[in-house]
Amino acid sequence: AGWKPVGKGKLLTTFHPEDSDEPFLVDSRDLDNADNVAVVYHNPLDNVEDLAHHFFARCLEAKVVPYVVTKKTVFKWQEGFWAIHLKVFNEHYKEKYLAAGLLETTGGELTHLISDAATMQIIRWTGGGFGMSAHNYDGDMLTDEVAQVHRSPGFITSNLIGKKADGTMIKEFEASHGTVSDLYHMHLRGEETSMNPLGMVEAIIGAMQHAATLEKEKGGSDDDLEKVMVWTTTLRRAMHNTF
């Protein structure tokens, strides 16, 4: 986001289309407070369809109920996030979910949750069995809440997902709330750091499993993939049980 502290006056947001010489006004407002913060940011939607496919495929594989979370009642611009998810779900996944019996608690439909409701439901749904697709800020809050409810914040990881032009999945795994490379350089400078070792092990496990999966897709053996999966899942289970 771009932002500036501003005082009284008129704030204009103007868009200049790439393929046109005709700019148009996105927003105009009169600021009558002496002290304001003006914030301008945009919400790209081109990749939401890919996100929806990835989300629904993961939930179906894990056999959990999917929910889409927004604050679209207040932030009207978030409607597109929900609309794209709903379209992808109805066209490609609804019948599969119905057949798997995963929509029995939602009336047979994909359910939207306002972010406020999602934060409350998570306290009640301590048995798990659900997945949530949310905007960035909501996602940060919800994952932290789940971890704290179950007393496991040390095990949170951030898994960043993208794809190459040929469709190959790109995955980056890191311990949540802190970039390890930055912390390492702080350590080299003699500065105090606070790294999450449990989250780091979780991240490395995820990276190893993804690397093994990619190797298998390139023609590697089933045996090699199975060995990596058994070793990493055993390590994870031992670590969880210990803590």
Side-chain angles (χ1 to χ4, degrees):
W3 65 277
K4 289 283 186 183
V6 296
K8 292 184 178 181
K10 183 179 286 290
L11 180 66
L12 304 175
T13 305
T14 306
F15 177 68
H16 296 256
E18 187 177 63
D19 56 356
S20 171
D21 295 329
E22 298 295 327
F24 61 84
L25 193 65
V26 176
D27 183 73
S28 172
R29 60 189 60 218
D30 296 316
L31 308 183
D32 55 12
N33 277 247
D35 190 12
N36 305 279
V37 176
V39 182
V40 180
Y41 65 99
H42 69 289
N43 194 56
L45 296 176
D46 283 358
N47 65 348
V48 176
E49 185 171 339
D50 283 342
L51 168 66
H53 278 290
H54 181 75
F55 171 65
F56 294 131
R58 281 191 66 182
C59 287
L60 189 61
E61 181 182 10
K63 295 181 173 56
V64 300
V65 183
Y67 295 89
V68 179
V69 178
T70 77
K71 185 72 172 178
K72 67 189 184 77
T73 49
V74 175
F75 301 128
K76 307 298 185 185
W77 49 267
Q78 293 190 357
E79 180 67 38
F81 186 83
W82 158 246
I84 294 171
H85 274 78
L86 182 61
K87 182 175 184 292
V88 169
F89 182 79
N90 286 340
E91 290 182 2
H92 301 280
Y93 296 94
K94 184 175 181 178
E95 294 304 319
K96 296 176 183 177
Y97 273 85
L98 288 171
L102 293 173
L103 300 179
E104 294 176 0
T105 60
T106 64
E109 302 292 338
L110 177 65
T111 298
H112 173 271
L113 290 175
I114 299 299
S115 54
D116 309 59
T119 61
M120 290 186 286
Q121 295 292 12
I122 278 177
I123 301 295
R124 300 175 58 228
W125 296 345
T126 53
F130 63 88
M132 291 182 178
S133 180
H135 281 81
N136 189 19
Y137 177 77
D138 288 337
D140 285 351
M141 299 296 289
L142 293 168
T143 51
D144 282 1
E145 186 184 10
V146 168
Q148 193 58 47
V149 166
H150 295 279
R151 299 292 189 268
S152 60
F155 292 109
I156 300 178
T157 63
S158 293
N159 307 324
L160 311 180
I161 299 171
K163 68 178 184 178
K164 296 180 180 179
D166 64 1
T168 303
M169 294 295 291
I170 305 169
K171 294 185 179 182
E172 178 186 294
F173 300 82
E174 63 183 20
S176 192
H177 309 308
T179 303
V180 172
S181 57
D182 290 344
L183 294 176
Y184 181 63
H185 287 293
M186 289 173 62
H187 168 71
L188 293 179
R189 294 193 299 268
E191 300 173 16
E192 184 176 346
T193 64
S194 179
M195 195 192 83
N196 173 1
L198 299 178
M200 189 65 217
V201 176
E202 287 279 0
I204 293 172
I205 288 173
M208 291 177 67
Q209 291 179 342
H210 181 55
T213 301
L214 289 179
E215 190 66 25
K216 172 64 175 63
E217 291 174 355
K218 293 177 182 177
S221 71
D222 290 333
D223 187 52
D224 286 345
L225 175 61
E226 183 180 0
K227 286 179 180 178
V228 172
M229 291 302 180
V230 168
W231 193 87
T232 51
T233 53
T234 302
L235 172 61
R236 174 182 282 141
R237 187 179 304 111
M239 184 169 66
H240 287 189
N241 289 343
T242 300
F243 279 89

